[in-house]
Amino acid sequence: HQELQRVQRANFIHFSVLCLVPTTLLFIVIAAILSEDGECRNDSGLTVCQREPRSFVNAFTSRCICDAVKTVFLPDSLEDDD
């Protein structure tokens, strides 16, 4: 009788741990997605930033990728005044 209770208790503990670990990881992923502001901010007008789209590899984080210098296109009429 005591042996049966010990085995049942051990099985319950193992089952609880196996359920808690994935559930906790899922909550962490959901919290990371909901707490993200969704914007890439740059204070100077010299850089252009975009948020990297989520993929399986970066599921827990997303990066803000910035170009070093913003590209400026001039109209043809302003380029050559010869």
Side-chain angles (χ1 to χ4, degrees):
H1 188 268
Q2 290 178 348
E3 181 69 18
L4 180 62
Q5 286 181 343
R6 186 186 67 78
V7 171
Q8 286 178 341
R9 188 180 316 119
N11 286 342
F12 177 75
I13 291 171
H14 291 148
F15 178 76
S16 299
V17 169
L18 288 175
C19 287
L20 278 176
V21 169
T23 305
T24 304
L25 291 176
L26 182 65
F27 284 138
I28 290 172
V29 170
I30 291 172
I33 291 171
L34 293 178
S35 66
E36 190 174 84
D37 61 355
E39 290 184 25
C40 286
R41 294 187 183 148
N42 54 342
D43 294 334
S44 67
L46 299 176
T47 59
V48 176
C49 298
Q50 292 181 335
R51 183 158 304 279
E52 181 183 43
R54 281 189 188 276
S55 66
F56 179 75
V57 176
N58 64 343
F60 291 100
T61 61
S62 63
R63 297 181 294 182
C64 188
I65 300 176
C66 299
D67 292 335
V69 177
K70 183 166 86 172
T71 307
V72 177
F73 293 103
L74 294 174
D76 290 337
S77 62
L78 296 177
E79 286 182 2
D80 294 325
D81 288 335
D82 293 338

